[in-house]
Amino acid sequence: MLVYLLGYLDRTNLGNARLMGLTTDILGGDASGQLYAWVNSAFYFAYIFFQFPGTILGKKFPQNWWLGLAATGWGFCCAIQATAFNFGGIFVCRFGVGVFESMFSPNMSLYFTFFYTRHEIGKRIGTWFACASVAGAFGGLIAFGVQHIHATTGIANWRLLFLIEGLPAVLAGLACIYILPDRPETTKYLTEEERALAIVRMNRGGSKETAGTINTSHLWMAARDWKIYLYGVIYFGVNVALSALGAFLPTIISDLGYTAARAQLFTVPPYVVGAAVLIITNFIGDHLQTRGIPMILSSLAGGTGYLLLILVQENIRVRYFATFLITASTYTTIGISISWFPYNMGSESKRAAGIPIFQAIGQCGSILGSNLYPNADAPKYIKGFGVSCAFNYLVSFIALGLTLYFRYENARRDREYGKIDRNAAVDTSKEADHVSTII
């Protein structure tokens, strides 16, 4: 959780730096906002291209080393953004942050499945992913503080911000190598009795694979699974909103009439509420063993938030309330998706391939979201709000379709094969989820 919080700080601090003068200092003022949009997109270019090999290769190495190296790398790249003096420099640094973060987040979705069963995964991933929202809150507070120490340092505010938020990730990454456990069957943290229990848990509803191996037939199986591409469309839609939150929420709130410093502070409450809603929703989802219905409701709430921003132009309180709906919806939907989708892939290798496929499609939405809010559209941002609204409603529609399909398919398999113990060990080494139970 600590590492992910630091990672999200480093991923989203560009929006805070923008209000501190980054565009004026090294982007020539960027009157159109296009250079800033390209810098923000650099992270997602790298994330898209490198997360598939980053997840597949991650399965070949000890998890503590792989995840620790990723955190150390992105922290370093974030910190050296403080030395950038032109568009090319900041673009390359942001690209580097994306390369190393692509080695971490998709792998974490797989890593959790090594330790937690499908009945436990929602609340664990929900609590872990809530750190993304908490990072948004901390980012606003840190940015507010940094803006008030400029006079005593002589260093530009935004450069200090990158150093303060980048260097801790380097230290946390090095700590991961020594503290974080590897897979249950190889980690030194467990006794033999604990290890045997952990392996039994790994085989509930499936079968574990040997550490450091990849089932290549399951990689191709993931590439041919139409459901993974629908997951990608959902992830695409919600990432349109997510990228805009980190990069443009401070600016949007500033356009409501607040000063830059106060706008940093006013970004905090929506993120705090978003984290709380995400955790509560995932706990309920685990208890009821449902993911689709909470996703439908959260996406509808997000679409309504964007609709309010479009239709209500004068009432600042209503518009600010809409940011709460959007933030809670965005983080909740993503938190549900990364606990729902992996467990509908019936083997480790299929997850290792399927997770980066749907997340790569989703990060294309981040690039779109990064380019939906040009300065010329301020303060109404009709295009950005309208596109994001449409994608939220699309996500709810697809989630409804997947929920109905999964329930129909489970009922069909129950009729054909008989009801089975969902915690029983199932041999998924050949057919993966083609013969195992779907959540």
Side-chain angles (χ1 to χ4, degrees):
M1 288 176 66
L2 173 63
V3 174
Y4 197 56
L5 186 150
L6 294 172
Y8 241 84
L9 279 176
D10 295 343
R11 178 189 298 201
T12 60
N13 56 16
L14 193 66
N16 302 111
R18 186 187 196 189
L19 290 185
M20 295 179 176
L22 180 147
T23 54
T24 301
D25 289 350
I26 64 173
L27 298 181
D30 190 25
S32 68
Q34 287 302 307
L35 289 178
Y36 173 78
W38 277 106
V39 171
N40 190 49
S41 299
F43 172 92
Y44 301 108
F45 291 144
Y47 203 96
I48 290 168
F49 286 115
F50 289 98
Q51 66 178 315
F52 188 85
T55 308
I56 297 297
L57 290 175
K59 196 172 181 298
K60 302 282 288 184
F61 293 91
Q63 294 298 297
N64 53 325
W65 279 91
W66 189 258
L67 299 174
L69 173 65
T72 301
W74 85 59
F76 175 77
C77 290
C78 176
I80 63 172
Q81 288 177 120
T83 67
F85 57 89
N86 59 20
F87 170 79
I90 193 72
F91 186 94
V92 171
C93 291
R94 291 294 297 178
F95 192 88
V97 174
V99 170
F100 286 103
E101 286 215 27
S102 73
M103 296 166 54
F104 185 84
S105 296
N107 268 292
M108 284 302 297
S109 299
L110 179 63
Y111 181 69
F112 272 100
T113 66
F114 297 155
F115 294 92
Y116 303 117
T117 69
R118 69 181 64 202
H119 295 281
E120 304 166 339
I121 195 75
K123 60 176 70 76
R124 269 74 178 185
I125 284 187
T127 305
W128 167 73
F129 188 73
C131 285
S133 187
V134 172
F138 272 111
L141 291 173
I142 293 171
F144 179 79
V146 168
Q147 284 192 288
H148 290 80
I149 61 175
H150 171 67
T152 62
T153 63
I155 303 174
N157 301 13
W158 60 270
R159 296 184 190 274
L160 278 176
L161 182 70
F162 288 141
L163 288 171
I164 290 171
E165 294 186 351
L167 294 177
V170 175
L171 299 177
L174 295 174
C176 268
I177 295 173
Y178 297 99
I179 297 175
L180 200 67
D182 190 18
R183 295 170 58 103
E185 67 266 42
T186 57
T187 183
K188 299 177 181 178
Y189 281 88
L190 302 178
T191 66
E192 288 308 311
E193 184 180 7
E194 291 168 339
R195 194 185 318 280
L197 175 60
I199 291 173
V200 169
R201 285 165 49 81
M202 289 178 71
N203 281 285
R204 288 181 181 177
S207 56
K208 78 175 187 68
E209 297 176 3
T210 304
T213 63
I214 295 174
N215 187 330
T216 54
S217 67
H218 287 192
L219 304 186
W220 289 108
M221 193 178 294
R224 297 192 300 268
D225 190 339
W226 61 269
K227 298 187 298 297
I228 291 176
Y229 295 97
L230 272 186
Y231 302 157
V233 176
I234 289 177
Y235 216 64
F236 182 101
V238 75
N239 270 285
V240 170
L242 183 65
S243 63
L245 281 176
F248 298 100
L249 184 60
T251 302
I252 291 169
I253 293 178
S254 176
D255 288 336
L256 294 180
Y258 301 104
T259 63
R262 292 193 71 192
Q264 307 280 20
L265 278 181
F266 274 94
T267 64
V268 175
Y271 283 117
V272 172
V273 171
V277 172
L278 165 61
I279 293 173
I280 292 170
T281 303
N282 275 276
F283 268 72
I284 294 173
D286 262 6
H287 178 71
L288 299 177
Q289 280 298 287
T290 179
R291 311 276 187 241
I293 293 175
M295 180 180 286
I296 294 166
L297 296 176
S298 68
S299 300
L300 289 174
T304 302
Y306 281 111
L307 203 58
L308 287 174
L309 289 177
I310 295 170
L311 299 177
V312 181
Q313 296 294 328
E314 304 299 330
N315 192 319
I316 294 177
R317 290 183 177 85
V318 172
R319 290 172 65 81
Y320 187 51
F321 170 72
T323 66
F324 283 81
L325 289 178
I326 293 166
T327 306
S329 164
T330 301
Y331 285 102
T332 299
T333 302
I334 291 183
I336 293 171
S337 68
I338 58 181
S339 62
W340 189 20
F341 301 158
Y343 261 110
N344 281 323
M345 305 173 200
S347 73
E348 292 178 20
S349 290
K350 187 172 181 182
R351 289 171 192 153
I355 290 170
I357 287 175
F358 84 74
Q359 290 202 5
I361 296 171
Q363 295 305 332
C364 293
S366 300
I367 295 176
L368 174 62
S370 299
N371 290 274
L372 284 177
Y373 296 87
N375 292 346
D377 289 354
K380 294 184 177 181
Y381 297 111
I382 297 298
K383 178 176 66 177
F385 295 152
V387 172
S388 298
C389 176
F391 273 114
N392 268 267
Y393 289 133
L394 177 63
V395 166
S396 65
F397 178 77
I398 296 175
L400 173 62
L402 282 172
T403 300
L404 294 175
Y405 168 77
F406 287 145
R407 296 190 176 195
Y408 164 79
E409 182 65 11
N410 280 330
R412 183 189 68 81
R413 295 183 184 194
D414 285 346
R415 290 193 304 270
E416 186 170 347
Y417 303 109
K419 291 187 177 182
I420 62 170
D421 179 4
R422 288 163 64 95
N423 290 324
V426 179
D427 183 5
T428 56
S429 59
K430 292 184 179 180
E431 297 297 328
D433 51 271
H434 287 287
V435 293
S436 60
T437 304
I438 300 177
I439 297 176

